[in-house]
Amino acid sequence: MKKLLITLLIPCCAIAVDAQTKKPVAKKTVSTVAAPVKFASTMDSASYAFGMSMAASLKNGGLKTLNYDLLMKGFKAEFSGQKTALTQQSAEKAIGNTFKTVSQAKYAGIIAEGKQFLDNNKKTAGVQSTASGLQYLVLTQGTGTKPGPTDSVLVHYKGTLISGKQFDSSYDRGEPITLTLNGVIPGWTEGMQLMSTGSKYKFFIPYQLAYGERGAGPDIPPYSTLIFEIELLKVNGK
């Protein structure tokens, strides 16, 4: 063991002595200032401006970097009418997946909070779950007609975030609302078909069955898990 320590120390000492005998080498500084750009025409300045505008828009969308070489290749191919390496469909899919990844990273906290809430909530007595991930609690069980997926219904409801913050209520407005089940969020479409007229259910809706990655207005952030109390007053039919 002592021999091993000695053999390890010898190179270290040699390096230290050598470092003392040599003059320190000044570190080179890398300039971050962009090289001057010369514009020979209005088209030149406009072309540069287009690049600035595109970059600003992409940055506002959450992107921090791109493969600039492939960016220019795709730009030139499309602009000059050449055959592109991606079809329009695959290009749109790539862009959509990229922004989805960026968005999920930005709202990772809300996504995790919603998942944890639903995982805990499904253990609550009386709460039932469907295959889609929708959870519900029967508050009052009615005995009337159940609506179909395209039926018009008359309902009273209240909506809150999992924090308890209310964002909408027909009760507060003092008037129920008529809506069609194929024109609402998927969680409502699925959940209300479980209800008989006269029922009141409490729904716990994961973001995938609510407003998804876009949210809704200033009160419902993207990827929000929502809670609705819904009272089915009447099935109007198709």
Side-chain angles (χ1 to χ4, degrees):
M1 179 63 74
K2 289 182 179 179
K3 290 183 179 180
L4 177 60
L5 288 173
I6 291 172
T7 57
L8 289 173
L9 285 171
I10 289 173
C12 294
C13 293
I15 293 170
V17 172
D18 187 55
Q20 290 177 354
T21 58
K22 291 185 177 180
K23 294 182 180 180
V25 179
K27 293 182 179 180
K28 293 182 179 180
T29 57
V30 179
S31 175
T32 58
V33 179
V37 179
K38 295 182 179 180
F39 303 119
S41 66
T42 302
M43 180 58 71
D44 285 354
S45 56
S47 298
Y48 190 86
F50 280 128
M52 290 174 57
S53 178
M54 289 170 59
S57 177
L58 293 171
K59 283 176 67 178
N60 287 337
L63 291 180
K64 295 181 179 179
T65 187
L66 288 169
N67 185 321
Y68 303 117
D69 180 52
L70 290 175
L71 172 69
M72 289 310 303
K73 286 181 178 179
F75 188 93
K76 289 178 180 178
E78 180 65 32
F79 207 77
S80 61
Q82 298 175 8
K83 180 176 177 58
T84 55
L86 294 174
T87 63
Q88 187 65 33
Q89 183 179 6
S90 57
E92 291 175 0
K93 183 178 180 180
I95 291 172
N97 287 340
T98 298
F99 278 113
K100 183 176 181 179
T101 300
V102 170
S103 179
Q104 287 180 338
K106 181 179 180 180
Y107 294 100
I110 292 179
I111 295 173
E113 186 180 19
K115 182 179 184 305
Q116 184 178 22
F117 172 84
L118 291 170
D119 286 344
N120 293 333
N121 189 64
K122 66 183 178 183
K123 302 172 187 176
T124 304
V127 171
Q128 302 179 61
S129 302
T130 69
S132 69
L134 178 68
Q135 297 178 6
Y136 65 96
L137 177 65
V138 179
L139 302 178
T140 303
Q141 184 61 63
T143 57
T145 305
K146 287 186 176 181
T150 60
D151 280 348
S152 167
V153 295
L154 181 69
V155 299
H156 253 317
Y157 70 94
K158 178 179 74 172
T160 65
L161 304 177
I162 58 176
S163 65
K165 181 182 178 182
Q166 180 177 297
F167 55 81
D168 195 10
S169 173
S170 64
Y171 294 104
D172 289 353
R173 292 191 294 271
E175 185 177 6
I177 184 172
T178 297
L179 49 84
T180 53
L181 295 193
N182 59 348
V184 291
I185 59 175
W188 272 56
T189 304
E190 179 185 359
M192 292 202 64
Q193 291 182 74
L194 302 173
M195 303 175 68
S196 300
T197 302
S199 294
K200 185 175 184 179
Y201 281 23
K202 190 171 187 177
F203 292 100
F204 309 91
I205 306 178
Y207 76 83
Q208 300 94 327
L209 302 177
Y211 294 99
E213 60 194 59
R214 295 186 177 184
D219 297 323
I220 303 178
Y223 299 100
S224 290
T225 295
L226 304 180
I227 301 174
F228 282 97
E229 289 185 15
I230 304 177
E231 187 178 359
L232 179 56
L233 304 176
K234 182 182 178 183
V235 177
N236 299 318
K238 294 181 175 58

